[in-house]
Amino acid sequence: MTDRLGHKQTAAMFTLMVLGREVPNQELAELVGFTLTGTERTGLNKLGYVDSERTGPKRSYVHQLSDSGWAWCEKELVAGGPPPQRGQSPLATALYVLLGGLDGYLRRENKRLFQVFGSGPGSNGGFPADLEERIRAAYRELVREPRGWVALVDLRPKLGAPPAEVDAVLKELSRAGKAHLVPEHNRKVLTAADHEAAIRIGGEDNHLLSIEA
């Protein structure tokens, strides 16, 4: 049995699971009526279930499930009922009946959660079906030698896709070992556009991309 979280933390985890990408606090508030802050956020961060970073001019938090967070969600599907809480809603109990059915589907089809929920609609693990190919095509157009490095600031304008969706595909390619993302070590050559185009992984901004053949 997975470790049980509070109702608010559980709701945040499942919301991040369904969206399958980085989610700003403002969007969480619009979707589920609360933000992930305070002890709820730090608790999930310390457990390693959620990665939270401050971004943008207002330095507001964005959150994304870690690999451990995805594993927790898969275990919580078969918990059989919501975590204990005073005044528990029948709707919460019904939700876990639904989650149990989802777990049954995943097992029958030999699928994982990240293959069902991803960054936006579409196939290919939840990503728009052609976005990975558009990334590969733009990379081939820009690269000068096999598996060479291409600046993200040059790649992004050729894709015509929202930055969050591009980031999600690039992170998935990186996790799968199909692409490599590294920072530009000569910080003096970076422009404001380079910083804007960077993708943040593991607390580090990455500016260059190499894709396996």
Side-chain angles (χ1 to χ4, degrees):
M1 176 66 65
T2 182
D3 296 332
R4 307 311 299 275
L5 301 173
H7 277 210
K8 185 175 180 179
Q9 287 181 318
T10 301
M13 290 287 288
F14 283 145
T15 301
L16 294 176
M17 175 193 79
V18 170
L19 295 177
R21 54 174 170 79
E22 290 183 341
V23 181
N25 261 336
Q26 181 180 353
E27 187 174 354
L28 271 180
E30 293 170 355
L31 290 172
V32 293
F34 64 82
T35 57
L36 189 54
T37 57
T39 56
E40 282 86 4
R41 176 187 64 78
T42 57
L44 293 176
N45 294 158
K46 288 177 181 178
L47 287 168
Y49 294 160
V50 173
D51 297 323
S52 303
E53 296 180 1
R54 289 186 181 274
T55 63
K58 296 183 179 180
R59 306 299 293 166
S60 57
Y61 277 107
V62 297
H63 314 282
Q64 187 169 22
L65 284 187
S66 66
D67 290 342
S68 296
W70 281 102
W72 181 92
C73 288
E74 289 184 326
K75 293 177 182 178
E76 187 70 10
L77 293 184
V78 294
Q85 178 165 302
R86 184 178 302 174
Q88 183 170 298
S89 166
L91 180 60
T93 303
L95 169 64
Y96 275 79
V97 175
L98 172 63
L99 294 177
L102 174 59
D103 177 72
Y105 164 78
L106 294 173
R107 292 177 185 276
R108 288 193 305 272
E109 300 297 325
N110 194 28
K111 292 183 179 294
R112 302 293 301 277
L113 273 178
F114 66 82
Q115 294 175 298
V116 177
F117 299 109
S119 178
S123 57
N124 194 21
F127 303 127
D130 65 337
L131 184 50
E132 179 180 335
E133 182 51 41
R134 298 211 307 270
I135 290 173
R136 290 181 177 275
Y139 172 82
R140 289 192 297 267
E141 180 182 339
L142 293 167
V143 73
R144 296 182 178 180
E145 59 186 22
R147 292 187 293 182
W149 296 101
V150 166
L152 292 180
V153 70
D154 297 325
L155 182 83
R156 289 185 186 274
K158 295 181 175 294
L159 302 177
E165 291 187 6
V166 175
D167 288 358
V169 176
L170 289 176
K171 287 180 179 180
E172 181 60 29
L173 290 172
S174 176
R175 282 193 292 266
K178 298 178 181 178
H180 307 282
L181 292 154
V182 299
E184 171 56 68
H185 293 295
N186 185 2
R187 312 292 292 187
K188 293 181 180 180
V189 305
L190 294 175
T191 65
D194 285 303
H195 290 297
E196 182 69 22
I199 180 170
R200 194 164 183 83
I201 299 177
E204 185 173 45
D205 285 338
N206 295 273
H207 313 90
L208 301 172
L209 169 71
S210 173
I211 297 181
E212 295 291 328

